[in-house]
Amino acid sequence: MKEFTINRAEAGQRFDRYLSKNLPNAAKGFIYKMLRKKNITLNGKKADGSEKIQAGDTVRIFFSEDTYRHFAGGSTISVQPVTKPSWQPVILYEDEDILIVDKPAGMLSQKAKKQDVSLIEHLTAYLGGSEEAGAGNPKTFCVGVCNRLDRNTSGIVVAGKTIMGLQCMTQAFREQMAEKYYVCLACGEVKKRSRISGYLKKDSMTNKVYISGYDDGDPDTQLIETEYIPICSSGSATLMKVHLITGRTHQIRAHLAYIGHPLAGDAKYGNEKDNRKYRERYGLRCQLLHSFELTLPPEALAALPETARKA
C-alpha cells in the first residue's frame, strides 16, 4: 500500500488527473476500475475521480510494491532543476501561489527540446525542491509558466507555484484579461500614436508569421491589434511603448515590420542593413523588445488567496 498526502502545490486539481500523473502507465479505465473497487481511496473513502483534491487530503493506493512500480513508472513531468545555476532569477513578485520574474533575453520560457534548459528549470532550482515546487511528489506538479516570451525578448513572465496559481493566471492570459505593455526600439521615425489591426497567419515550417490587411477566410488566420506610442526619436530609430492588445505569436515583431518599422536587432523580421549597423556599432545580437508592465483586474485574481489579490 502507498499513502500520499496532498501538498499545497498539488491542491485544486481533479483527483483523476492527479492519479493519471501519479500512475502514468495506467490506462484511465483501469484507474476508474480501481476507484470503484476502493483499491484507491481519498481520505479513506470511495471516490469517483471528479473530486477536487485539497491540501492535507490523504490518498491510499492498495497495490503491491511491484504493481505500483509498474504503473508509476517514469514521471509525466520531466523537469530537472539546474544543478549549478548560472543565472539568479530577478523576482518581481512572489507569494504562496505565483511568482513573477524578469526573464533575460536569450532564455527560453519553456523547453523546445528535451536537452534545453529553460526558465522553468531555473525556477525549479530557485524554489529548491520546496513544497511549493511540488516536492511532496514531483510527478504530480512542478512550477509552470502562465505566459511565454520569445527566447530573445526579455521581461515579465508569470509562473504558477501551485496548481491553483497556475490555473488562475493561465486563464487570465487565455481570456486576455491581462494588459501587457512593452518597450522597444523600432527602425525609422514614428511620429504619431496609433492603434493598428491586421490578420496574422503562422507558418509552422519556418516558425514565422505573416501579416496581411484582410481576412483570407482561413480558420488559422487570427485578427490582431497593436497600439504603439512613440516616446522619442533620433530620426533613424524610435523608442516606443507598445500595448499588446491581442497576444499572438511574434505579434509585435511582425506587425511593426509590416508597417515598415521593424525592431532593431530582429534577425527574423528586421532589416539586415539596420541590424548590421547595430551589431557592428553596439554588439547587438537580439531584438530590442522588453515586456515591462503587466496589469490584471481584480476578477483575474479572484480565485487566489488574499495575499495575491493585494499584489
Side-chain angles (χ1 to χ4, degrees):
M1 189 267 285
K2 290 286 185 180
E3 180 174 308
F4 301 94
T5 301
I6 302 301
N7 63 37
R8 197 173 187 282
E10 300 164 323
Q13 59 186 311
R14 279 176 57 113
F15 187 33
D16 52 1
R17 294 191 66 182
Y18 167 86
L19 291 172
S20 292
K21 295 172 186 176
N22 197 316
L23 303 168
N25 292 338
K28 286 187 177 180
F30 175 80
I31 290 175
Y32 291 131
K33 181 179 180 180
M34 293 301 98
L35 287 169
R36 290 194 300 271
K37 292 190 170 185
K38 293 184 68 174
N39 287 332
I40 301 175
T41 63
L42 179 63
N43 296 322
K45 298 178 181 178
K46 185 177 181 179
D48 63 17
S50 66
E51 299 82 359
K52 284 288 185 74
I53 56 176
Q54 304 299 322
D57 283 352
T58 300
V59 178
R60 292 190 177 95
I61 301 177
F62 295 93
F63 294 174
S64 69
E65 186 65 33
D66 288 344
T67 301
Y68 177 80
R69 192 180 301 115
H70 169 72
F71 288 115
S75 171
T76 57
I77 298 175
S78 59
V79 173
Q80 296 296 326
V82 180
T83 53
K84 293 183 179 179
S86 57
W87 172 73
Q88 183 64 29
V90 179
I91 306 300
L92 305 176
Y93 173 78
E94 183 177 1
D95 63 27
E96 292 180 323
D97 293 285
I98 64 174
L99 184 151
I100 304 177
V101 64
D102 184 5
K103 184 190 83 69
M107 181 180 292
L108 288 166
S109 296
Q110 60 185 35
K111 286 185 176 188
K113 303 173 187 175
K114 184 177 181 180
Q115 66 270 26
D116 288 338
V117 175
S118 70
L119 178 62
I120 290 177
E121 281 68 42
H122 283 284
L123 293 181
T124 302
Y126 165 76
L127 292 171
S130 63
E131 181 175 309
E132 289 82 358
N137 188 346
K139 290 195 296 185
T140 56
F141 180 74
C142 71
V143 63
V145 295
C146 309
N147 65 308
R148 289 180 291 175
L149 298 178
D150 295 339
R151 180 198 289 266
N152 288 323
T153 297
S154 59
I156 297 173
V157 174
V158 180
K161 294 169 57 178
T162 64
I163 288 285
M164 185 181 296
L166 185 61
Q167 290 176 341
C168 179
M169 298 305 294
T170 298
Q171 181 179 357
F173 283 106
R174 184 185 301 117
E175 296 180 0
Q176 299 183 5
M177 300 170 74
E179 296 284 337
K180 294 172 281 187
Y181 296 90
Y182 293 70
V183 287
C184 68
L185 187 69
C187 296
E189 184 174 21
V190 181
K191 295 181 178 180
K192 295 181 180 180
R193 175 175 182 160
S194 181
R195 179 167 174 159
I196 56 177
S197 61
Y199 294 89
L200 176 150
K201 183 186 291 185
K202 183 175 181 180
D203 184 339
S204 57
M205 296 294 291
T206 61
N207 193 31
K208 288 185 69 173
V209 301
Y210 297 90
I211 310 295
S212 65
Y214 63 92
D215 186 355
D216 62 4
D218 191 312
D220 293 329
T221 299
Q222 299 174 308
L223 174 68
I224 58 171
E225 289 188 87
T226 312
E227 182 180 26
Y228 57 85
I229 305 143
I231 299 170
C232 61
S233 177
S234 66
S236 62
T238 303
L239 180 66
M240 295 199 297
K241 178 179 178 179
V242 179
H243 177 199
L244 188 62
I245 299 168
T246 55
R248 309 299 185 192
T249 302
H250 300 174
Q251 179 177 321
I252 294 174
R253 299 165 60 190
H255 213 177
L256 291 179
Y258 173 73
I259 63 170
H261 296 287
L263 297 181
D266 191 340
K268 185 164 286 191
Y269 300 100
N271 180 284
E272 177 53 34
K273 181 179 177 181
D274 288 325
N275 287 347
R276 189 184 309 114
K277 177 184 71 174
Y278 285 108
R279 187 166 56 247
E280 292 174 354
R281 291 185 184 181
Y282 309 110
L284 183 62
R285 301 294 178 185
C286 61
Q287 68 263 11
L288 290 179
L289 179 63
H290 178 76
S291 172
F292 82 102
E293 183 179 333
L294 177 68
T295 303
L296 288 160
E299 56 266 29
L301 305 174
L304 293 179
E306 190 70 18
T307 52
R309 296 201 298 271
K310 289 181 178 179

